[in-house]
Amino acid sequence: MFGNIFNNKNNNVNNYVIIKAPISGKIMDLSEVKDEVFASKMLGDGIAIDPSEGSLIAPFDGIIKQIFPTGHAVVLESKEGLTLLIHIGLDTVNLKGEGFKILAKEGQNVKTKDPIIKFDIDFIRNKQYYLQTPILLPEGNSIKSIEPTKEKYVNAGEDVLMKVSLNK
């Protein structure tokens, strides 16, 4: 759909980032997320996914900047310098890591589709937590535009979640 965007001789000339779906599931507008902090875009613009399976993978080639010790959230940075925050579920920090298994390390370089976190959907739902997963761009000043997917459902590592044009 977006062609061979990574075939540039100099990768530093890319002024956009293609973010693949880090989780398979149903696409949601951030405004639909049942948490005002995310819904109002206080932490950044983006999109949300209601997961259909408990696996979070790298949505692009880059580095893991931070993995919360509880496994409920991760911050990644693309090779172009774009920061992405993925927050699995709402208030899931309160599970204190139960139901989450961290598969990667902070500072680790990742390629698209590399596994980062596994999570137990049934366990989290049974504990009465929403699994709506905001995928946010917290550094809005570095972003020119965001083209979200028009799909209603995405497959992790396969479908484009959004194309982000950078101010460069």
Side-chain angles (χ1 to χ4, degrees), residues 65-79:
K65 298 292 279 183
Q66 182 179 11
I67 293 185
F68 290 74
T70 52
H72 77 285
V74 61
V75 177
L76 300 140
E77 185 178 291
S78 75
K79 62 186 189 312

Side-chain angles (χ1 to χ4, degrees), residues 12-100:
N12 294 330
V13 299
N14 278 352
N15 64 347
Y16 58 87
V17 179
I18 298 294
I19 300 172
K20 296 280 186 108
I23 295 175
S24 295
K26 181 178 165 284
I27 294 293
M28 300 175 64
D29 190 270
L30 272 184
S31 65
E32 298 175 63
V33 172
K34 295 183 186 310
D35 182 309
E36 189 55 32
V37 172
F38 296 120
S40 65
K41 302 182 181 179
M42 273 189 235
L43 297 177
D45 203 350
I47 202 164
I49 296 176
D50 193 1
S52 60
E53 58 187 31
S55 180
L56 184 149
I57 61 170
F60 47 59
D61 295 353
I63 188 168
I64 297 174
K65 298 292 279 183
Q66 182 179 11
I67 293 185
F68 290 74
T70 52
H72 77 285
V74 61
V75 177
L76 300 140
E77 185 178 291
S78 75
K79 62 186 189 312
E80 298 84 3
L82 180 70
T83 300
L84 189 71
L85 166 66
I86 305 170
H87 192 286
I88 302 167
L90 305 179
D91 297 322
T92 48
V93 65
N94 298 329
L95 290 170
K96 299 179 174 59
E98 259 193 296
F100 294 90

Side-chain angles (χ1 to χ4, degrees), residues 1-2 21 25-29 32 47-49 147-155 158-162:
M1 181 160 135
F2 293 107
K26 181 178 165 284
I27 294 293
M28 300 175 64
D29 190 270
E32 298 175 63
I47 202 164
I49 296 176
E147 286 177 49
T149 181
K150 303 231 181 318
E151 300 296 322
K152 300 282 184 243
Y153 184 92
V154 287
N155 291 303
E158 301 299 324
D159 296 320
V160 172
L161 188 65
M162 53 186 141

Side-chain angles (χ1 to χ4, degrees), residues 67-131:
I67 293 185
F68 290 74
T70 52
H72 77 285
V74 61
V75 177
L76 300 140
E77 185 178 291
S78 75
K79 62 186 189 312
E80 298 84 3
L82 180 70
T83 300
L84 189 71
L85 166 66
I86 305 170
H87 192 286
I88 302 167
L90 305 179
D91 297 322
T92 48
V93 65
N94 298 329
L95 290 170
K96 299 179 174 59
E98 259 193 296
F100 294 90
K101 183 177 183 194
I102 298 171
L103 306 173
K105 299 189 296 284
E106 280 186 19
Q108 179 178 328
N109 287 309
V110 289
K111 296 269 185 214
T112 305
K113 296 187 180 183
D114 283 355
I116 298 175
I117 299 169
K118 289 268 187 213
F119 54 100
D120 186 332
I121 287 182
D122 293 332
F123 174 82
I124 296 167
R125 280 199 181 116
N126 289 339
K127 293 284 187 179
Q128 307 300 308
Y129 288 92
Y130 287 108
L131 275 160

